[in-house]
């Protein structure tokens, strides 16, 4: 299918930053390949064709917004990322998910025990 990414992706859902000419915004990195990424920005969607930098953990990738719709953004990198960086981010994502589950459980315990009013 034309326009589709041929490289394998890793599913992540970890915090990242998207740096644009209009400013920096927090986002979640949904998936990543050596050639691009899908992101969920916390603010408004950047314009298609905008230059951007994805920053997440040890990765800083320059690219262009290829699509922006339904609350998601597709970023195509100027240069391929090393596969080892993509794989290492998958391991970080696994740890992040486990830690986030534990934090949520602790928040729920604190709320049930009356130690906190916020979940």
């Amino acid at each position: 299918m034309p326009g589709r990414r041929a490289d394998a992706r890793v599913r992540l859902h970890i915090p990242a930053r998207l740096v644009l000419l209009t400013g920096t915004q927090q986002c979640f990195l949904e998936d990543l390949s050596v050639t691009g990424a899908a992101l969920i920005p916390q603010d408004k969607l950047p314009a298609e064709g905008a230059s951007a930098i994805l920053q997440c953990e040890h990765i800083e990738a320059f690219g262009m917004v290829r699509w922006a719709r339904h609350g998601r953004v597709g970023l195509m990198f100027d240069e391929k990322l090393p596969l080892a960086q993509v794989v290492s981010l998958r391991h970080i994502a696994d740890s992040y998910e486990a830690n986030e589950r534990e934090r949520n459980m602790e928040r729920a315990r604190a709320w049930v025990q009356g130690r906190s009013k916020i979940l």
Side-chain angles (χ1 to χ4, degrees):
M1 177 181 253
R4 287 289 195 175
R5 189 179 320 152
D7 297 297
R9 305 174 192 188
V10 292
R11 304 277 180 218
L12 300 168
H13 197 75
I14 56 175
R17 288 192 319 215
L18 188 60
V19 180
L20 303 157
L21 291 175
T22 57
T24 300
Q25 60 177 295
Q26 300 301 312
C27 60
F28 278 95
L29 177 56
E30 281 293 291
D31 69 48
L32 179 71
S33 76
V34 295
T35 57
L39 311 161
I40 299 175
Q42 291 184 348
D43 296 325
K44 65 180 183 171
L45 296 178
E48 289 181 25
S51 294
I53 302 170
L54 170 64
Q55 296 175 331
C56 185
E57 295 292 332
H58 56 279
I59 291 177
E60 185 168 272
F62 297 84
M64 180 182 71
V65 175
R66 293 286 293 182
W67 54 267
R69 60 183 173 273
H70 309 298
R72 298 181 74 216
V73 172
L75 188 64
M76 184 176 77
F77 301 142
D78 291 347
E79 297 180 11
K80 284 187 172 188
L81 293 176
L83 183 58
Q85 282 189 340
V86 174
V87 171
S88 70
L89 206 54
R90 175 69 251 174
H91 297 298
I92 290 169
D94 290 341
S95 297
Y96 174 79
E97 290 171 8
N99 291 339
E100 193 63 18
R101 270 193 304 276
E102 184 56 38
R103 281 191 291 270
N104 286 336
M105 288 298 293
E106 181 53 39
R107 287 184 198 119
R109 278 188 215 101
W111 185 79
V112 167
Q113 296 170 355
R115 295 184 283 134
S116 175
K117 294 183 183 188
I118 301 173
L119 280 178

